[in-house]
Amino acid sequence: MSRVAVVTGANKGIGLAIVKGLCKQFDGTVYLTARDESKGQEAVKELNEQGCQPRFHQLDVLSLDSIHRFKQHLEKEHQGLDVLVNNAGVMYGRSNPTPLVEQVEVTMGINFFGLLNLTKALMPLLKPHARIVNVSSGLGDLSYVTPERRQTFQSKQLTEEELVQMMEQFVSDVKSGVHEEKGWKMEPLAYRVSKMGATALSMVQQRQFDADPAADIVVNAVCPGWVRTDMGGPNAGRSVDKGAETPIYLALLPPNVSSPRGEFLRDKKILSF
């Protein structure tokens, strides 16, 4: 049975670079997924011309139906999954005129809830020694939240249900216009909170998987750094290939590795959260 790797939001930028790297280093089938089918197919064609042979499948992490169809495809074609790189993400620029409520709903929907829903859907397919990489960001720094909320995010007793409730409450507070008085005052607001959630979720998920240590399933969050992408802009200091290095490293961690497990990394080094 061949090994399988999946990268979300992979038709451009860091996601595309991760697919390219995995095609060269991963012994198995690599899926390039994207919400827009034509853009995804064009990205596959681009990689084909560079000697890489990823497979494409449409995937919109905002759509439970799309997630379900993709799960069914993996189940039928491969009966399992070895690597999941949750790279799909969005960030609204500071001058973007989109109303804050819409920014928060879309950003949290993709960056946190989409990541959560896809991972939970694919969990039954994870093979022993599977690796999950959640692309997060240093912008999800907990120094921007109150000491009490920071303690909650960092708690080793934090459950998935509690984290989801906190993220849902954040969205509700924004809709009600009370988010600032609740301590959510950072900019860009939606992106920072979504990445706090993604990093914390990685640690929660690792504790869940540690209940079955024999399966050796490892989850880590990663900050790729400031990368020259549509999101990062042309003045960023890193190339997409540099941004992809640590996600690829985490995706290819060897069996039974003792560290990193449930950590937040940048440049292959563990950072505090």
Side-chain angles (χ1 to χ4, degrees), residues 212-227:
D212 180 14
D216 182 39
I217 296 174
V218 175
V219 189
N220 286 292
V222 58
C223 171
W226 188 24
V227 178

Side-chain angles (χ1 to χ4, degrees), residues 135-207:
V135 178
S136 188
S137 171
L139 288 177
D141 191 319
L142 293 181
S143 64
Y144 291 91
V145 300
T146 63
E148 294 77 17
R149 190 167 283 134
R150 187 181 313 132
Q151 187 175 25
T152 301
F153 271 115
Q154 294 174 331
S155 172
K156 295 188 184 302
Q157 281 71 52
L158 179 66
T159 66
E160 181 182 298
E161 181 180 11
E162 290 168 340
L163 177 60
V164 169
Q165 287 176 347
M166 184 161 53
M167 297 292 96
E168 289 176 338
Q169 186 61 52
F170 162 69
V171 176
S172 177
D173 289 344
V174 172
K175 290 180 178 180
S176 301
V178 299
H179 58 283
E180 289 197 2
E181 64 188 72
K182 294 285 191 73
W184 302 108
K185 297 181 180 180
M186 68 287 291
E187 292 289 340
L189 178 65
Y191 187 78
R192 285 189 186 274
V193 177
S194 72
K195 294 305 184 180
M196 290 176 192
T199 300
L201 180 62
S202 306
M203 298 170 181
V204 170
Q205 289 172 332
Q206 186 63 63
R207 290 195 290 272

